[in-house]
Amino acid sequence: MAALLNQTDIAILYQADENYEPGTVLEFGGEFEVTLGTKESRRVAGIVTTNPYQIINGTAKGHNMLPIALTGRVPTKVKGQILKGQMLVSAGNGYARAETNPSIGTVIGKSLENFAGDEGVIEVVVGKI
């Protein structure tokens, strides 16, 4: 089952300002197409995925091309207490956090797990939520 969980999303390549690690929350902006997500950003692009099932524009070329999950489930860097099913927004510095009443355009996805630590990685569903 673990191998399946590592390939359960569809992604698209974006050119990033840096080579960010999987699970990092990015937003549109910066020098290239995407950069590190800022707190509660309305420009949120998504989450760098680990091993997508499919990359739609897999032949795209450029420096720091990163797969961003469009739909599916993906490990995500998080901060603070999170309950399964809560909507997540950017916490800044590439992390996500729970938000009970998010502003339009800020939602990254929904948590598939509970989390009670300071910082960690959990599974998140992205796409049509």
Side-chain angles (χ1 to χ4, degrees):
M1 183 81 168
L4 178 62
L5 292 180
N6 288 332
Q7 295 187 346
T8 58
D9 65 284
I10 296 173
I12 190 166
L13 294 174
Y14 286 102
Q15 189 171 20
D17 288 349
E18 295 180 30
N19 189 18
Y20 301 108
E21 67 184 3
T24 302
V25 175
L26 300 181
E27 67 180 36
F28 294 108
E31 185 178 345
F32 296 101
E33 294 175 314
V34 292
T35 192
L36 200 61
T38 57
K39 189 175 180 183
E40 298 181 34
S41 176
R42 287 184 185 226
R43 297 180 299 156
V44 68
I47 304 159
V48 179
T49 185
T50 54
N51 189 18
Y53 172 74
Q54 181 180 13
I55 299 177
I56 291 174
N57 64 338
T59 59
K61 303 286 185 220
H63 188 66
N64 291 330
M65 297 300 286
L66 296 177
I68 307 297
L70 294 175
T71 188
R73 56 191 296 162
V74 62
T76 304
K77 294 167 43 174
V78 294
K79 287 185 175 187
Q81 183 173 354
I82 298 171
L83 299 175
K84 189 185 305 183
Q86 280 190 301
M87 289 181 278
L88 301 177
V89 299
S90 180
N93 203 30
Y95 285 81
R97 68 168 181 80
E99 176 59 57
T100 55
N101 192 20
S103 299
I104 293 173
T106 62
V107 175
I108 300 164
K110 284 188 180 178
S111 169
L112 290 171
E113 303 178 52
N114 294 324
F115 181 77
D118 291 329
E119 293 181 356
V121 176
I122 64 170
E123 289 276 318
V124 171
V125 64
V126 296
K128 198 167 192 172
I129 48 174

